[in-house]
Amino acid sequence: MKQLFIHSSHDVTQSALLENGNLVEFSLEKATGKSLIGNIYKGKVVNVLPGMQAAFVDIGLSKNAFLYVDDALHPHLDKQPKDKPSIAELLTPGDELLVQVMKEPLGGKGARVTTHFSLPGRWLVYMPGADYVGISKKIDQETERLRLKSLAEDIRLEGEGLIMRTNAEGESRVSLEEDLDGLRAIWNQVIASSGSTAAPAELHKDSGLVHRLIRDVITPDTDELIIDDDACLRDAMEYVRQAAPALQNRIRPYQDQQPMFEKFGVKEQIDKAFQARIWLRSGGYLVWDQTEALTVIDVNTGKYTGTASLEETVFLTNLEAAEEIARLLRVRDVGGIIIVDFIDMETEEHRHQVVQLLESTMKRDRTKCQVVGWTRLGLLEITRKKARENAMKYFYETCAACKGSGKIFVR
């Protein structure tokens, strides 16, 4: 059972994705702080730093955006020079160029931008200058991968790049071409606008949260999309009629007096997911400590005493923890480096099985993540792409007494 809930009020829109009643994804967007990821700007280079191999670009925001040299080179690796040039050879202060936001401003840093443009559609991602075809790794059947690759090569123009999304599996050539035509039209409009617009200026804004959820999350195996706001419901219905008409019957309004997130247990799950100590069903627990760039998770047996041997107790606790950690990384939308201190296991096979379970569970994550492996100290290192502030900042503010340390100084 896969359900997507969208709760909308005058100042905030929240979404929750449940699989068999368990919360696996949560998103929140304020009306005054909509996501910048995917937006395209005409910017002006204000500073070039060869020592950092980066440039700062004014795109009209409060802080200048950061453009790294790799994001200024050709998006196709085969077409990049063998020896990476200095950023000063590519850009000079005063240059105007088109850039796309790939990472939102975080903390005191400005947005990170790229010249590797990508426009996501329902079935595919259009990359106007990439000149290659990619297929989603989540499409397993080799015959389907070959079919989609052949179709992509047929419908793209020279120099264009396409990535066939997971949703494209089984789709017809007509559907894929319609999706591509719409994205190509958006790009052509961006190019046309850039010629008559002075920098800095916004040329394209990515879809809002509701459209992005329907585009990226709703799949044929989604059973329900439940919305508690009339305006949001009309917007969703209109978009689905255009993008995925076969899914119209999956959308329904929520009309009960009890708040939707309370009735379906979403609020309770959100509250538990963002605590510093998270209890596991067996009685074990996780201690979660998060900084700007690093998240540390400690696994403990807690109340779980097991029934056989100590090694078996530890192993079962770690297995349960691995599955829960993979889920919570999605719910909290954690990015950066994640270090997990599992309980020490004597058996190498047990360590391998814990990693295997973690990797298989993380395959459901739409955000790119990787299990790097065990460190020399026996800690498990994971990385997960960080593109925006995680949802925790919307629920908590720094304590005025302890300044975020969690401890109060006693004189």
Side-chain angles (χ1 to χ4, degrees):
M1 187 69 171
K2 186 176 177 181
Q3 300 165 294
L4 178 63
F5 299 89
I6 298 179
H7 163 65
S8 184
S9 61
H10 69 282
D11 62 341
V12 68
T13 300
Q14 300 177 60
S15 73
L17 179 64
L18 270 63
E19 293 178 357
N20 296 323
N22 295 318
L23 179 68
V24 294
E25 283 188 29
F26 175 73
S27 301
L28 184 150
E29 186 172 272
K30 291 188 175 181
T32 56
K34 293 188 176 180
S35 175
L36 301 177
I37 295 176
N39 292 2
I40 298 176
Y41 296 85
K42 184 176 182 180
K44 180 178 288 188
V45 178
V46 294
N47 201 4
V48 177
L49 304 174
M52 294 179 63
Q53 278 289 65
F56 287 98
V57 184
D58 180 10
I59 59 174
L61 302 179
S62 58
K63 291 184 179 295
N64 292 330
F66 180 85
L67 175 66
Y68 185 58
V69 65
D70 285 354
D71 296 312
L73 296 172
H74 195 284
H76 198 313
L77 291 176
D78 293 344
K79 298 195 175 184
Q80 293 181 6
K82 291 182 180 179
D83 296 321
K84 191 180 299 183
S86 168
I87 189 74
E89 297 176 33
L90 304 174
L91 299 169
T92 56
D95 286 350
E96 294 186 351
L97 73 165
L98 298 183
V99 293
Q100 185 174 35
V101 175
M102 59 186 298
K103 184 181 290 187
E104 290 190 336
L106 300 174
K109 301 175 182 177
R112 181 170 174 180
V113 295
T114 181
T115 61
H116 303 171
F117 303 99
S118 62
L119 297 172
R122 175 69 179 162
W123 316 118
L124 52 84
V125 178
Y126 175 59
M127 302 172 294
D131 197 22
Y132 69 87
V133 168
I135 310 295
S136 168
K137 292 180 180 178
K138 294 182 180 179
I139 299 176
D140 297 323
Q141 292 186 353
E142 190 60 29
T143 54
E144 179 63 6
R145 294 180 65 85
L146 291 173
R147 183 187 78 90
L148 289 174
K149 184 173 179 61
S150 176
L151 273 176
E153 294 287 4
D154 282 348
I155 64 177
R156 76 182 181 107
L157 301 177
E158 185 177 355
E160 292 180 334
L162 297 178
I163 294 177
M164 310 307 281
R165 308 186 70 175
T166 309
N167 288 349
E169 189 170 9
E171 284 301 319
S172 67
R173 179 186 181 119
V174 172
S175 296
L176 298 175
E177 283 186 318
E178 288 178 350
D179 204 18
L180 175 57
D181 288 343
L183 298 173
R184 194 181 279 143
I186 293 173
W187 177 248
N188 290 336
Q189 181 59 48
V190 168
I191 296 300
S193 299
S194 67
S196 58
T197 306
E202 182 183 86
L203 302 180
H204 167 72
K205 182 178 291 186
D206 194 21
S207 304
L209 179 61
V210 175
H211 286 195
R212 293 201 310 272
L213 288 168
I214 295 172
R215 182 188 70 197
D216 301 338
V217 178
I218 297 294
T219 56
D221 67 342
T222 303
D223 297 281
E224 293 179 312
L225 168 56
I226 305 172
I227 303 174
D228 66 357
D229 177 76
D230 291 339
C232 190
L233 179 67
R234 289 192 297 269
D235 186 32
M237 288 294 292
E238 180 61 30
Y239 183 75
V240 168
R241 270 194 290 269
Q242 298 174 8
L247 301 179
Q248 289 183 77
N249 62 346
R250 313 284 176 92
I251 303 177
R252 67 181 181 88
Y254 179 77
Q255 298 172 322
D256 201 303
Q257 292 297 313
Q258 185 181 4
M260 181 174 68
F261 276 15
E262 290 184 10
K263 180 169 182 177
F264 289 94
V266 176
K267 184 179 182 301
E268 181 183 1
Q269 291 194 58
I270 291 173
D271 291 342
K272 288 181 179 179
F274 286 92
Q275 291 177 1
R277 177 173 293 196
I278 297 150
W279 289 95
L280 304 174
R281 291 186 300 274
S282 65
Y285 65 90
L286 309 175
V287 177
W288 201 287
D289 195 5
Q290 194 163 327
T291 67
E292 185 175 336
L294 176 72
T295 298
V296 179
I297 305 166
D298 185 33
V299 182
N300 297 273
T301 53
K303 303 172 185 176
Y304 181 54
T305 57
T307 56
S309 64
L310 173 61
E311 176 68 13
E312 191 68 16
T313 301
V314 167
F315 175 53
L316 293 176
T317 303
N318 284 340
L319 283 178
E320 186 182 7
E323 199 165 12
E324 183 70 351
I325 287 167
R327 182 184 76 90
L328 290 172
L329 290 177
R330 292 173 67 188
V331 174
R332 290 182 173 223
D333 197 16
V334 174
I337 301 170
I338 300 113
I339 299 294
V340 184
D341 185 8
F342 284 104
I343 309 167
D344 289 340
M345 293 171 282
E346 299 292 335
T347 309
E348 184 61 33
E349 177 59 25
H350 285 171
R351 288 159 58 93
H352 178 66
Q353 287 185 45
V354 167
V355 171
Q356 268 194 325
L357 178 61
L358 187 61
E359 288 177 333
S360 64
T361 309
M362 288 174 70
K363 285 182 180 178
R364 305 171 196 162
D365 198 334
R366 293 185 297 119
T367 300
K368 183 179 179 181
C369 45
Q370 178 185 7
V371 178
V372 180
W374 299 97
T375 70
R376 292 173 62 184
L377 295 175
L379 307 172
L380 190 66
E381 184 180 355
I382 305 168
T383 61
R384 190 172 185 271
K385 184 178 178 181
K386 185 171 186 176
R388 53 175 61 88
E389 293 275 13
N390 63 70
M392 181 177 273
K393 76 165 192 172
Y394 296 109
F395 295 106
Y396 299 95
E397 59 183 29
T398 302
C399 171
C402 73
K403 308 299 182 187
S405 72
K407 297 177 175 62
I408 298 176
F409 180 69
V410 180
R411 299 183 187 279

